[in-house]
């Protein structure tokens, strides 16, 4: 039998794996865990690895799943009868109360094959208030053969009554060097490409791997940054069609508001690099492939001006989250862009 990867197969988060393996090994399981942290940091991978540790029929040691048996493989592929994975239909969507209630009926049954039923709620911050309240009954009256795992951006995104009934594990982005080394060693990426993906993923291995497996995402990121480069030297009147087109595309469902958020988050990362460079902060930039443009902007703008752009983009994202008029929110942002060329 081939040796399983160490650390439950995760990149980083050794402390979390150690804690959960101890819980699984010594019968000190909590009935609910909340894995909080940014998307792509490894929350889903850790949740599935916990399910393997609880149900692997031939563990290498208590709390250490073999990760290669049919049970571990089916859990990894989310095709195991005692594993339920629940999430909104799309990122930025809504996890509905009917999904929670349907799951609760299955959780009332004894495990079909394994020792535990494991229910994983992905992106639980997308659950409605009604959905979160519906889950409270299961949290308050836990079945000893059921373990719930919730993932969310942060505990603050959820109802306090939910959070208080979970053991919270806060997962943070990893050092860029750790992600780069994993990309080189596990996926045989050339050093330069591994370094780029590790940086633009901001230390989130899931995001870095997604960029590697879906090159179109890198192309989209490049297009978003190039659009910013075109908007900077443009006049106010030349900038406004950008906002108008987004409003029309969202209304006609040609593009989603989540796509617009993705573009703004990409711009945010670039302006963060400008601010760090302008401030001469001893921190590595994210967008290595845009280093010349970042240095130019940092030389042309003061740290205060770069920070003002960071704040304005953040405010625009918040307005979009609150369903503010898309065109108006973008027009206000465009008015504050400095006018200069980085081509």
């Amino acid at each position: 039998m081939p040796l399983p990867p160490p650390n439950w197969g995760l990149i980083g988060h050794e402390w979390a794996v150690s804690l959960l393996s101890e819980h699984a090994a010594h019968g000190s399981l909590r009935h609910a865990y909340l894995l909080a942290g940014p998307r792509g940091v490894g929350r889903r991978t850790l949740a599935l690895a916990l399910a393997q540790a609880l149900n692997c029929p031939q563990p290498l040691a208590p709390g250490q799943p073999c990760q290669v048996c049919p049970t571990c493989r089916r859990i990894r592929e989310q095709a195991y009868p005692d594993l339920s994975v629940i999430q909104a239909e799309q990122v930025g969507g809504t996890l509905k109360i009917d999904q929670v209630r349907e799951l609760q009926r299955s959780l009332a049954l004894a495990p079909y094959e394994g020792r535990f039923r494991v229910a994983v709620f992905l992106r639980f911050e997308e659950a409605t208030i009604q959905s979160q309240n519906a889950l409270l009954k299961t949290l308050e009256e836990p079945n000893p053969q059921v373990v719930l795992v919730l993932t969310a951006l942060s505990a603050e995104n959820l109802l306090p009554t939910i959070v208080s009934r979970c053991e919270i594990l806060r997962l943070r982005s990893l050092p860029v060097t750790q992600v780069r080394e994993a990309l080189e060693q596990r996926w045989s990426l050339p050093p330069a490409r591994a370094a780029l993906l590790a940086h633009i993923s901001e230390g989130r291995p899931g995001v870095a791997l997604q960029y590697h497996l879906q090159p179109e995402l890198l192309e989209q990121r490049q297009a978003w940054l190039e659009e910013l480069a075109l908007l900077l030297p443009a006049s106010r009147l030349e900038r406004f069609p950008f906002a108008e087109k987004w409003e029309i595309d969202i209304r006609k469902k040609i593009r989603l508001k989540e796509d617009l958020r993705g573009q703004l988050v990409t711009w945010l990362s670039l302006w963060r690099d400008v601010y760090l460079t302008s401030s001469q902060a001893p921190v590595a930039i994210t967008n290595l492939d845009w280093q010349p443009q970042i240095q130019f902007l940092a030389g042309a703008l003061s740290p205060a001006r770069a920070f003002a752009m960071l704040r304005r983009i953040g405010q625009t994202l918040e307005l979009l989250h609150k369903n503010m008029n898309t065109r108006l929110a973008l027009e206000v942002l465009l008015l504050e862009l400095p006018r200069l060329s980085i081509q």
Side-chain angles (χ1 to χ4, degrees):
M1 178 183 294
L3 291 175
N7 197 45
W8 282 4
L10 268 78
I11 300 169
H13 311 307
E14 291 83 0
W15 66 272
V17 171
S18 177
L19 174 69
L20 293 175
S21 63
E22 285 291 316
H23 286 186
H26 298 115
S28 55
L29 279 171
R30 312 303 190 255
H31 66 274
Y33 293 91
L34 170 59
L35 309 182
R39 289 173 187 158
V41 80
R43 302 171 305 179
R44 173 182 164 277
T45 303
L46 181 58
L48 295 179
L50 174 60
Q52 291 175 328
L54 296 177
N55 286 310
C56 177
Q58 45 191 25
L60 303 178
Q64 295 297 327
C66 74
Q67 297 190 311
V68 295
C69 70
T71 293
C72 288
R73 186 176 64 250
R74 284 184 291 156
I75 290 174
R76 185 168 54 249
E77 296 169 354
Q78 299 180 36
Y80 185 66
D82 292 319
L83 171 70
S84 301
V85 179
I86 304 91
Q87 60 186 321
E89 291 183 0
Q90 62 185 22
V91 176
T94 301
L95 195 156
K96 300 175 182 177
I97 190 170
D98 290 345
Q99 295 174 268
V100 175
R101 287 175 174 166
E102 182 179 353
L103 172 70
Q104 287 172 320
R105 287 191 286 270
S106 68
L107 295 183
L109 304 174
Y112 178 78
E113 182 177 323
R115 293 185 300 140
F116 291 91
R117 283 188 177 271
V118 180
V120 179
F121 292 84
L122 299 178
R123 307 191 311 272
F124 198 64
E125 72 275 3
E126 296 175 351
T128 64
I129 298 298
Q130 294 81 3
S131 300
Q132 294 188 46
N133 280 324
L135 189 63
L136 276 177
K137 182 176 177 59
T138 303
L139 290 171
E140 291 169 347
E141 302 174 8
N143 183 325
Q145 290 183 292
V146 170
V147 175
L148 304 180
V149 184
L150 284 60
T151 77
L153 294 174
S154 72
E156 289 70 28
N157 293 116
L158 308 181
L159 291 176
T161 47
I162 292 286
V163 176
S164 65
R165 290 163 173 80
C166 298
E167 169 113 355
I168 306 173
L169 282 72
R170 302 181 190 275
L171 306 183
R172 294 177 172 82
S173 296
L174 304 177
V176 168
T177 53
Q178 188 175 18
V179 177
R180 174 182 56 77
E181 290 170 0
L183 292 172
E184 291 182 32
Q185 296 167 9
R186 293 196 188 188
W187 291 283
S188 303
L189 267 66
R193 184 166 180 81
L196 173 63
L197 298 188
H199 276 269
I200 64 175
S201 70
E202 299 178 324
R204 294 172 293 162
V207 174
L209 188 57
Q210 191 175 31
Y211 275 130
H212 170 56
L213 298 175
Q214 299 176 259
E216 64 273 15
L217 296 179
L218 276 178
E219 295 171 4
Q220 178 65 83
R221 166 186 167 273
Q222 180 70 12
W224 284 340
L225 291 174
E226 289 176 353
E227 195 159 27
L228 174 61
L230 291 173
L231 285 168
L232 284 174
S235 68
R236 291 181 176 181
L237 290 178
E238 291 170 330
R239 290 174 178 180
F240 283 169
F242 171 84
E244 181 182 16
K245 188 174 190 313
W246 263 111
E247 181 189 45
I248 293 172
D249 285 356
I250 290 174
R251 187 172 65 246
K252 292 183 176 179
K253 299 183 178 180
I254 297 173
R255 292 186 288 182
L256 302 174
K257 189 169 284 190
E258 191 65 26
D259 299 325
L260 176 56
R261 292 192 188 98
Q263 181 163 14
L264 293 180
V265 168
T266 300
W267 288 7
L268 192 69
S269 74
L270 185 86
W271 283 107
R272 174 183 174 274
D273 288 342
V274 173
Y275 173 68
L276 292 174
T277 304
S278 178
S279 304
Q280 299 183 340
V283 180
I285 65 172
T286 296
N287 299 280
L288 290 180
D289 50 341
W290 278 69
Q291 189 166 11
Q293 295 91 334
I294 291 165
Q295 290 177 336
F296 174 80
L297 287 171
L301 302 171
S302 67
R305 187 72 180 91
F307 183 77
M309 284 309 307
L310 277 175
R311 183 173 55 197
R312 171 51 65 188
I313 296 173
Q315 291 170 344
T316 305
L317 284 164
E318 182 64 24
L319 290 172
L320 293 175
H321 179 71
K322 294 178 179 178
N323 290 320
M324 171 67 74
N325 179 278
T326 301
R327 183 172 178 176
L328 179 60
L330 287 177
E331 285 180 349
V332 172
L333 169 62
L334 294 172
L335 286 173
E336 293 204 18
L337 284 178
R339 191 174 181 188
L340 42 80
S341 176
I342 62 172
Q343 294 294 333

